[in-house]
Amino acid sequence: MKVDASREVEVKGKLVTGADLLIKTLIDAEVDTVFGYPGGAVLPIYDALYRNETPFEHVLSRHEQGSIHAAEGYARVTGKPGVVIATSGPGATNLITGITDAMMDSIPLVIFTGQVAKSVIGTDAFQEADVMGITTPITKYNYQVNDIADLPRIVKEAFHIASTGRPGPVVVDIPKNISANITLDDYEDDFHLPGYQPTIKPNPLQIIKLADALSRAKRPLLLVGAGTLFADASEELKQFAEEYQLPVTTTLLGLGSFPGSNELSLGMAGMHGTYAANMGVYECDLLINIGARFDDRLTGNLEHFAPNAKVAHIDIDPAEIGKNIETHIPVVADAKKALVALLNAKIEMQGHQDWMDKLRKNKKDYPLWYERSNTLLSPQWLIEQVYKVSKGEAIVTTDVGQHQMWAAQFYTFDKPNNWVTSGGLGTMGFGFPAAVGAQLGRPDDLVISIVGDAGFQMTLQELSVVKHRNLPVKVIIVNNEALGMVRQWQESFYEERYSESLLSENPDFVKLAESYGIRGVRVDKEEDAVRVLEEIMAYDGPVVADFRVVRETSVYPMIAPGKGIHEMVGVKK
Amino acid sequence: MRRIITATVQDRGGVLNRITGMLHKRQFNIESISVGASEIEGISKMTFVVEISDRQKLEQLTKQLNKQIDVLKVSDITDKAMVARELALIKVVGSGHTRSEIQGIITPFRASVIDVSKDSMTIQVTGRPDKVDALIALLRPYGIKELTKTGVTAFLRGQQPEQVTELNSMSN
Ligand SMILES: Cc1ncc(C[n+]2csc(CCOP(=O)(O)OP(=O)(O)O)c2C)c(N)n1
Ligand SMILES: [Mg+2]
């Protein structure tokens, strides 16, 4: 064949850098917010951000951990994947805690890390870190882009993998030569993932089995986890529970999936769950788990977990079924699809009035309790006031510790996706940056960040972001001048040897806030609390409020480590 | 119980690392892993020999493998009619008359001597893992200077009889 050398090759696309291509893929993915922090290996990407008109905003944090927790908070309240950019080496390693946190709590994130140029990878080059090696065990999937032609497809895959099936974090590691080099902008982004085909629809036979078990149950109970939130199945859950008069308990992360003030709600189960919920689990004869993973903080000693129950488990991740608890009726499916199938199943129930009466009595006789104080504030009372003043309608993010458990116990959520907390990893430093992301994701909602005095100090540098963007986040510090949860365990299990858990050197949080140009306020008396809370909530801007609470308070009820779910202590005053 | 599990995986960067990392994290006791090309380009075949305490753990293993995005198919072939083979290279101390003795030992195993030096010889044996282990045990008294095994690779026989349990010595 002869080639006509005189004919000019037609250039189809225009010439762009890899970074421009990346920005285009983000636009295609309908990203509206990107959380990030620049550095050497991502300079081409930041240059492209500068040069291009983008429909999304880049939010500069003050520490990469701030970026990633903000992205988690954003994802949690919007249902969309959180997007993060960080530079190579230390930028990437600063993300590790957040990536692990997102993996544990199934939060969809797409994370772009810069990498040193291909030519020096493997030479211990400046700011080189083996991001692929480090993030493999803590991601749902990860990529290194080795050919610019793959970039559009990889980014599309990354968003798909992060946000479908059981959500999770996906890392895309981009060597600097890939983002810097000039290329044609006409690559295909079609993808095919034959090894990744999540099961969405339930097997009808399993639904029949479950319906049959339900029709025989004398003591049924629904245990609901965050899988229900990811599946956007709260409405179906409510219909199902009400149709068959099924009592509902939730996990820590499942709070809000079912209205906490609904008559059928028993509250949260687990280590600091309610008596009614935990005894419900202990005594039920049919436990239907919808989108929870039988975490050990929920189950306590496995031997005593739902010992008389037939267990049904609806989960989109088959590997969760039977992992910790023997399961009689496995249903691999999206929670919404499974609930719809169950609603269509028309089940004849036996009637379980005795059971409902018993649960109702437990609920009434053993409510969550606390002691009022006449010195500093009672922390639980404080949370109750926060609940009342915000009419239960706020988005609440928490850090990790006692205040987290009190928030879970005393702030009742009636709507889904308003509760943001670090469950599986229990990451101190999560709560405040998560509130930043939540507020950016839902700008019109009231966002309250309930944090401990210790955890807040782990990531409070993000106050700069709040100030810069005038995000009206309300930070409520439950200040017990202690690593309260550690102090509590030392009190209960280490004969009050308070090793490194009492903080006498806290900063003046009011002045600290003011130094960032943010309103600060301190409350140490009950009589001021409600008025100040009302002022804070009405104020159009960020506030840091230092609420002084009684240090010696403990979280109850509690299932001590190694104990069964029925062996709660501190059930009553 | 000892199980033989095969997996077909997409040949993407880091896939081996992801799978072995997962097995390690979840505390599966892996005796051997072998990886190699399959009949389809871009797809590799992995064979795991695992020591597993119970059914529940086994189910977890196959589920966790299946969950990997690059894994296309996972099969526990322990109870099926299959061929499982392993190769070992064994360098044994041997000179003078022990040489012919060793030669005598390895002949029934259809093993071969692939290298000889002044005071040692290297033997190559291929076969079912129990056969390989038996030869190694017989050679041990002579003094093994070096030993390397490929790990088991396996797949199903073309024909699957109804009753298969006796065919495989690996299933117990
Ligand atoms: C990053 C991290 N380090 C340590 C811990 C262990 N830890 C759990 S709760 C807690 C104390 C938290 O203190 P504070 O933030 O003041 O909350 P409080 O319990 O007092 O409400 C500690 C140290 C953790 N969960 N995360
Ligand atoms: Mg504290």
Side-chain angles (χ1 to χ4, degrees):
Chain A
M1 197 183 82
K2 262 193 159 179
V3 177
D4 182 1
S6 65
R7 226 174 77 193
E8 273 185 26
V9 180
E10 195 193 335
V11 180
K12 282 208 194 101
K14 61 179 192 317
L15 291 170
V16 295
T17 67
D20 292 303
L21 212 53
L22 172 66
I23 305 251
K24 194 168 157 255
T25 62
L26 294 181
I27 297 170
D28 289 347
E30 292 173 8
V31 170
D32 60 27
T33 311
V34 172
F35 301 89
Y37 206 100
V42 287
L43 281 173
I45 297 174
Y46 277 83
D47 190 54
L49 283 173
Y50 190 91
R51 286 185 284 100
N52 286 281
E53 258 313 308
T54 60
F56 57 82
E57 263 207 90
H58 178 278
V59 179
L60 176 70
S61 64
R62 295 300 182 272
H63 186 300
E64 287 87 353
Q65 188 180 1
S67 299
I68 192 138
H69 290 327
E72 290 184 84
Y74 170 93
R76 197 45 291 199
V77 302
T78 63
K80 293 188 277 188
V83 180
V84 178
I85 303 175
T87 193
S88 68
T93 55
N94 272 349
L95 299 176
I96 299 305
T97 302
I99 301 175
T100 315
D101 190 271
M103 185 69 175
M104 290 287 260
D105 288 350
S106 310
I107 295 178
L109 297 182
V110 178
I111 301 136
F112 299 96
T113 51
Q115 182 54 276
V116 298
K118 178 89 181 156
S119 54
V120 291
I121 290 180
T123 67
D124 305 314
F126 178 63
Q127 294 193 329
E128 180 182 4
D130 177 9
V131 169
M132 290 300 284
I134 296 171
T135 62
T136 293
I138 54 167
T139 49
K140 186 170 173 185
Y141 202 62
N142 58 359
Y143 299 86
Q144 188 170 70
V145 185
N146 292 314
D147 185 340
I148 204 161
D150 294 336
L151 185 67
R153 175 188 52 81
I154 286 177
V155 176
K156 208 170 170 190
E157 275 185 20
F159 276 94
H160 176 73
I161 291 173
S163 56
T164 53
R166 178 179 180 174
V170 178
V171 164
V172 182
D173 196 36
I174 307 180
K176 192 171 181 177
N177 58 301
I178 298 282
S179 52
N181 284 356
I182 306 283
T183 182
L184 269 174
D185 147 19
D186 68 344
Y187 296 115
E188 298 292 322
D189 62 2
D190 296 342
F191 67 84
H192 173 52
L193 294 165
Y196 177 68
Q197 308 287 330
T199 306
I200 306 295
K201 284 208 207 105
N203 179 336
L205 291 176
Q206 295 304 98
I207 294 293
I208 291 171
K209 268 197 206 159
L210 180 44
D212 182 57
L214 196 52
S215 72
R216 286 163 210 263
K218 295 196 178 73
R219 299 186 305 279
L221 177 67
L222 302 183
L223 166 66
V224 181
T228 316
L229 295 168
F230 296 127
D232 186 22
S234 291
E235 196 44 51
E236 290 76 9
L237 171 67
K238 186 155 170 278
Q239 279 179 36
F240 180 58
E242 285 180 341
E243 168 95 20
Y244 298 107
Q245 284 299 297
L246 302 170
V248 180
T249 179
T250 77
T251 64
L252 174 66
L253 291 181
L255 287 171
S257 55
F258 187 77
S261 54
N262 188 295
E263 213 246 327
L264 292 165
S265 168
L266 303 178
M268 178 175 77
M271 183 172 268
H272 293 298
T274 65
Y275 179 84
N278 286 341
M279 288 313 285
V281 171
Y282 188 66
E283 291 172 349
C284 67
D285 69 351
L286 174 65
L287 182 67
I288 306 178
N289 173 339
I290 311 177
R293 63 181 176 87
F294 290 126
D295 168 75
D296 60 83
R297 281 294 193 269
L298 172 88
T299 61
N301 188 330
L302 290 174
E303 230 176 275
H304 304 292
F305 184 79
N308 305 308
K310 195 168 219 186
V311 174
H313 189 172
I314 300 169
D315 207 301
I316 199 156
D317 179 359
E320 283 305 338
I321 299 178
K323 186 181 82 177
N324 297 338
I325 298 283
E326 194 191 334
T327 301
H328 308 91
I329 309 170
V331 182
V332 180
D334 171 82
K336 191 179 189 116
K337 293 276 187 308
L339 281 162
V340 168
L342 282 168
L343 280 166
N344 291 333
K346 298 279 172 283
I347 304 157
E348 278 303 323
M349 295 285 288
Q350 285 212 346
H352 48 277
Q353 200 51 50
D354 292 354
W355 173 237
M356 294 312 288
D357 290 346
K358 177 164 194 188
L359 294 174
R360 243 172 245 133
K361 186 163 167 16
N362 279 347
K363 226 173 124 170
K364 192 163 143 284
D365 292 351
Y366 303 95
L368 293 166
W369 61 273
Y370 59 85
E371 265 162 322
R372 290 285 276 278
S373 150
N374 44 21
T375 55
L376 298 174
L377 308 183
S378 143
Q380 301 98 323
W381 178 84
L382 169 65
I383 306 286
E384 270 190 353
Q385 308 320 305
V386 173
Y387 169 71
K388 284 182 192 155
V389 171
S390 63
K391 302 186 192 69
E393 286 170 356
I395 293 173
V396 175
T397 78
T398 78
D399 214 71
V400 169
Q402 290 184 310
H403 65 280
Q404 175 190 31
M405 292 301 125
W406 289 322
Q409 291 178 329
F410 292 95
Y411 199 105
T412 307
F413 293 91
D414 282 338
K415 289 209 200 95
N417 305 322
N418 282 351
W419 168 243
V420 185
T421 198
S422 166
L425 198 63
T427 307
M428 279 174 76
F430 170 88
F432 173 51
V436 172
Q439 187 75 79
L440 284 158
R442 303 240 305 259
D444 300 330
D445 287 279
L446 172 63
V447 176
I448 300 175
S449 188
I450 299 176
V451 296
D453 48 318
F456 182 48
Q457 294 184 61
M458 285 199 176
T459 45
L460 60 72
Q461 74 286 341
E462 302 304 310
L463 283 169
S464 292
V465 184
V466 162
K467 170 65 188 170
H468 173 208
R469 298 188 171 256
N470 195 30
L471 300 175
V473 169
K474 318 300 179 197
V475 179
I476 307 279
I477 307 173
V478 182
N479 187 349
N480 50 13
E481 296 196 315
L483 313 183
M485 192 55 98
V486 173
R487 194 209 60 77
Q488 174 173 345
W489 281 53
Q490 289 169 338
E491 177 187 316
S492 301
F493 309 119
Y494 294 88
E495 299 171 319
E496 303 185 17
R497 290 188 294 279
Y498 296 126
S499 178
E500 305 291 332
S501 60
L502 305 179
L503 295 175
S504 46
E505 305 298 336
N506 270 340
D508 180 331
F509 287 110
V510 173
K511 282 195 187 142
L512 181 91
E514 285 167 0
S515 77
Y516 280 94
I518 290 171
R519 188 165 159 189
V521 48
R522 177 172 302 115
V523 178
D524 50 17
K525 285 193 284 302
E526 255 196 21
E527 58 258 38
D528 299 334
V530 173
R531 178 183 49 80
V532 171
L533 280 171
E534 279 168 352
E535 273 172 32
I536 291 175
M537 303 304 169
Y539 176 69
D540 184 23
V543 181
V544 173
D546 177 14
F547 285 90
R548 296 307 184 86
V549 303
V550 180
R551 183 191 262 177
E552 290 70 31
T553 324
S554 285
V555 184
Y556 288 120
M558 177 175 191
I559 302 165
K563 296 288 185 187
I565 198 160
H566 60 308
E567 297 173 287
M568 286 160 277
V569 295
V571 171
K572 281 209 159 189
K573 236 184 239 193
Chain B
M1 52 184 169
R2 185 189 249 182
R3 311 295 297 183
I4 301 184
I5 307 220
T6 62
T8 20
V9 304
Q10 280 202 301
D11 249 342
R12 285 198 176 187
V15 58
L16 184 61
N17 185 18
R18 190 166 269 281
I19 289 175
T20 53
M22 180 280 289
L23 295 172
H24 178 70
K25 170 189 159 178
R26 302 215 179 254
Q27 304 206 314
F28 290 111
N29 195 355
I30 306 297
E31 288 189 4
S32 75
I33 299 184
S34 74
V35 196
S38 76
E39 71 281 10
I40 301 166
E41 207 192 305
I43 295 199
S44 296
K45 191 74 169 273
M46 303 181 77
T47 308
F48 309 88
V49 178
V50 288
E51 185 57 46
I52 273 205
S53 53
D54 56 52
R55 287 257 145 221
Q56 186 265 344
K57 269 259 169 202
L58 177 63
E59 189 183 306
Q60 257 300 300
L61 173 62
T62 51
K63 282 178 164 178
Q64 291 292 346
L65 283 170
N66 261 315
K67 183 169 160 174
Q68 302 303 318
I69 289 177
D70 292 324
V71 172
L72 303 175
K73 187 165 190 277
V74 179
S75 318
D76 178 350
I77 62 171
T78 321
D79 300 331
K80 303 265 171 63
M82 57 150 177
V83 277
R85 293 291 180 270
E86 179 170 41
L87 181 145
L89 297 176
I90 313 155
K91 193 183 282 172
V92 267
V93 181
S95 54
H97 72 280
T98 56
R99 264 204 190 148
S100 53
E101 237 179 272
I102 289 169
Q103 193 65 54
I105 290 171
I106 69 171
T107 309
F109 287 86
R110 273 182 260 147
S112 50
V113 177
I114 57 167
D115 184 47
V116 180
S117 72
K118 198 153 61 52
D119 53 2
S120 73
M121 51 205 287
T122 300
I123 290 147
Q124 171 189 313
V125 59
T126 316
R128 279 189 353 208
D130 56 337
K131 168 180 149 183
V132 172
D133 288 344
L135 179 61
I136 292 167
L138 286 171
L139 292 174
R140 212 169 274 291
Y142 295 91
I144 292 179
K145 293 179 75 171
E146 218 179 317
L147 171 70
T148 178
K149 291 208 263 183
T150 56
V152 177
T153 186
F155 60 37
L156 296 179
R157 287 181 189 276
Q159 199 86 32
Q160 289 290 313
E162 308 255 298
Q163 202 57 41
V164 291
T165 25
E166 280 155 52
L167 277 174
N168 307 316
S169 59
M170 293 279 301
S171 55
N172 37 44

